[in-house]
């Protein structure tokens, strides 16, 4: 069976190829006049690559993460990776990217925001001197996201529960973790309050019918992931088993969906769905086990053991697609694959 280190080199090659590839590029932004119709790199000097802005951000995050591994030490791509990251994540470029977010406050909300915070977090915590220095540059990007979140969330009437980029819970969890690491307690409080308002009363999520043909996230599991970070231990012991009560190894949500047309960029989201679901299961199963141990209720333990049996089959298609020649898959899936692998083989 492959070891996690076996993925470092191919994923690094994919990440480097992506963040140095300008086209095809999907530039999703509001044009207010003809003056806004310019090459993407003029607006986004760091992240006008890897098909779209958010994919570029998280491919930079992936490359920085890979550089932390033992397998990256002495690798023939190491110096090139540091060189590219240093060029893209310069202080000048980060100020430009942050300014663009401020000028377009609903753009890339909340998915791209979340990955910008993740990128800053991994750089600031890096054991690689050059990357840790870049964290000082990306701080302005993370701070901009924190400010935007604090302004946005109090005005949100209800969460978005789709299984794609606009999903509220997926983005908020990652921004929450970044805010905690940065001691931005004001942002933590805003997110925690919104999460309770959005999700605290939810129960018995329907995992049979949540999925559509282009999801790459499970709305239910994203919500559970977020609430596991928000609720107290006692609150979670009550909320989580109730919310996940309809989740079993036989649930369609834990079964990989066959991609019939890998060239279809929307359908290829399903590769990522298996990986993101596997990651959520690997995070949530230990929570259920702890609940079982603390309450004496055997049902969460049995559920945890059952859903964990689905992880490998969920991950397999996405691991293959992450390094495929099909760009609609390979421009983003490796990030999700790396996260799932690190949870599967800690």
């Amino acid at each position: 069976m492959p070891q996690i280190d076996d993925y470092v080199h191919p994923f690094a090659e994919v990440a480097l190829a992506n963040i140095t590839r300008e086209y095809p590029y999907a530039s999703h932004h509001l044009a207010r006049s003809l003056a806004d119709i310019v090459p993407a790199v003029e607006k986004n000097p760091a992240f006008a690559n890897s098909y779209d802005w958010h994919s570029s951000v998280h491919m930079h995050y992936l490359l920085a993460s890979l550089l932390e591994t033992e397998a990256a030490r002495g690798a023939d791509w190491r110096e090139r990776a540091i060189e590219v990251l240093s060029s893209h994540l310069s202080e000048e470029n980060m100020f430009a990217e942050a300014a663009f977010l401020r000028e377009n406050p609903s753009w890339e909300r909340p998915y791209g925001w979340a990955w910008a915070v993740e990128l800053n977090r991994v750089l600031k915590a890096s054991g690689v001197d050059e990357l840790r220095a870049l964290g000082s540059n990306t701080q302005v990007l993370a701070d901009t996201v924190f400010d935007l979140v604090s302004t946005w969330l109090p005005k949100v009437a209800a969460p978005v529960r789709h299984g794609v980029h606009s999903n509220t819970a997926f983005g908020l969890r990652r921004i929450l973790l970044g805010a905690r690491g940065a001691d931005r307690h004001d942002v933590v409080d805003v997110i925690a309050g919104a999460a309770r308002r959005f999700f605290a009363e939810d129960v018995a999520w329907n995992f049979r019918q949540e999925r559509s043909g282009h999801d790459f996230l499970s709305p239910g599991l994203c919500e559970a992931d977020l609430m596991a970070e928000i609720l107290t231990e006692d609150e979670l012991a009550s909320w989580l088993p109730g919310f996940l009560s309809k989740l079993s190894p036989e649930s369609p949500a834990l079964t990989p969906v066959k991609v019939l047309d890998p060239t279809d960029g929307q359908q290829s989201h399903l590769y990522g769905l298996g990986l993101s679901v596997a990651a959520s299961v690997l995070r949530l199963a230990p929570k259920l086990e702890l609940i079982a141990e603390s309450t004496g209720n055997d049902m969460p333990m049995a559920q945890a053991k059952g859903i964990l049996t689905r992880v490998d089959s969920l991950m397999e298609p996405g691991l293959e697609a992450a390094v495929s020649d099909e760009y609609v898959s390979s421009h983003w899936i490796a990030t999700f694959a790396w996260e799932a692998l690190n949870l599967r083989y800690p």
Side-chain angles (χ1 to χ4, degrees):
M1 187 169 185
Q3 302 298 309
I4 190 169
D5 282 353
D6 296 335
Y7 292 94
V8 173
H9 178 69
F11 283 6
E13 287 189 325
V14 166
L16 266 173
N18 272 295
I19 67 174
T20 55
R21 178 172 178 169
E22 293 185 16
Y23 295 102
Y25 188 78
S27 185
H28 307 293
H29 75 286
L30 176 66
R32 298 180 178 87
S33 71
L34 281 175
D36 289 331
I37 310 300
V38 297
V41 72
E42 293 188 20
K43 304 185 296 291
N44 305 113
F47 304 126
N49 48 68
S50 194
Y51 195 82
D52 49 28
W53 193 89
H54 51 257
S55 300
S56 175
V57 173
H58 71 66
M59 275 292 171
H60 283 77
Y61 158 85
L62 172 62
L63 191 58
S65 300
L66 295 171
L67 283 165
E68 296 292 327
T69 65
E70 187 66 32
R73 300 181 188 275
D76 58 4
W77 49 268
R78 180 182 177 83
E79 293 306 315
R80 171 66 173 153
I82 292 173
E83 176 187 340
V84 172
L85 289 173
S86 298
S87 173
H88 288 192
L89 306 179
S90 67
E91 183 179 38
E92 180 182 6
N93 285 355
M94 291 303 95
F95 273 106
E97 295 285 2
F100 192 81
L101 287 184
R102 289 194 300 271
E103 292 162 6
N104 299 272
S106 64
W107 185 71
E108 290 285 354
R109 184 184 71 193
Y111 184 78
W113 290 3
W115 286 115
V117 170
E118 287 274 53
L119 173 61
N120 181 66
R121 181 185 61 79
V122 75
L123 291 171
K124 296 280 281 190
S126 178
V128 180
D129 292 344
E130 296 93 333
L131 299 189
R132 198 163 57 253
L134 293 178
S136 298
N137 297 345
T138 58
Q139 188 64 53
V140 66
L141 196 61
D143 287 341
T144 298
V145 170
F146 293 149
D147 292 344
L148 289 171
V149 168
S150 298
T151 301
W152 167 60
L153 277 180
K155 303 174 184 177
V156 178
V160 174
R161 301 177 185 268
H162 302 313
V164 290
H165 308 82
S166 54
N167 182 280
T168 304
F170 180 86
L172 289 189
R173 175 182 171 273
R174 291 170 187 273
I175 297 169
L176 172 78
L177 295 177
R180 279 181 180 160
D183 291 327
R184 286 293 302 265
H185 303 295
D186 57 326
V187 180
V188 170
D189 290 344
V190 168
I191 294 175
R196 287 178 177 276
R197 177 163 56 91
F198 294 155
F199 304 123
E201 301 304 317
D202 288 358
V203 66
W205 183 264
N206 186 347
F207 286 96
R208 178 166 293 276
Q209 296 182 5
E210 73 164 18
R211 188 164 58 191
S212 72
H214 69 183
D215 286 351
F216 64 91
L217 302 170
S218 159
L221 292 176
C222 285
E223 178 177 336
D225 262 338
L226 173 62
M227 296 304 281
E229 296 290 342
I230 295 293
L231 298 177
T232 67
E233 186 175 317
D234 288 343
E235 289 173 330
L236 191 65
S238 172
W239 187 89
L240 189 62
F243 183 76
L244 298 181
S245 60
K246 294 188 176 181
L247 182 66
S248 73
E250 293 74 36
S251 296
L254 298 186
T255 301
V257 186
K258 185 173 179 59
V259 176
L260 302 180
D261 182 3
T263 68
D264 184 324
Q266 295 297 315
Q267 191 179 149
S268 68
H269 280 174
L270 297 169
Y271 290 127
L273 177 64
L275 293 165
S276 66
V277 166
S280 289
V281 167
L282 289 163
R283 282 188 291 264
L284 293 169
K287 305 283 187 184
L288 290 169
E289 292 171 353
L290 286 174
I291 289 169
E293 292 169 0
S294 64
T295 63
N297 181 355
D298 292 337
M299 290 183 64
M301 182 67 75
Q303 184 183 37
K305 292 183 182 299
I307 62 178
L308 283 170
T309 64
R310 305 301 299 149
V311 165
D312 288 343
S313 63
L314 284 163
M315 290 175 60
E316 185 178 357
L319 289 174
E320 182 177 347
V323 292
S324 74
D325 292 331
E326 186 50 64
Y327 191 52
V328 295
S329 297
S330 64
H331 79 271
W332 68 281
I333 291 176
T335 304
F336 284 75
W338 184 245
E339 179 176 52
L341 283 166
N342 276 275
L343 290 164
R344 179 68 177 86
Y345 304 107

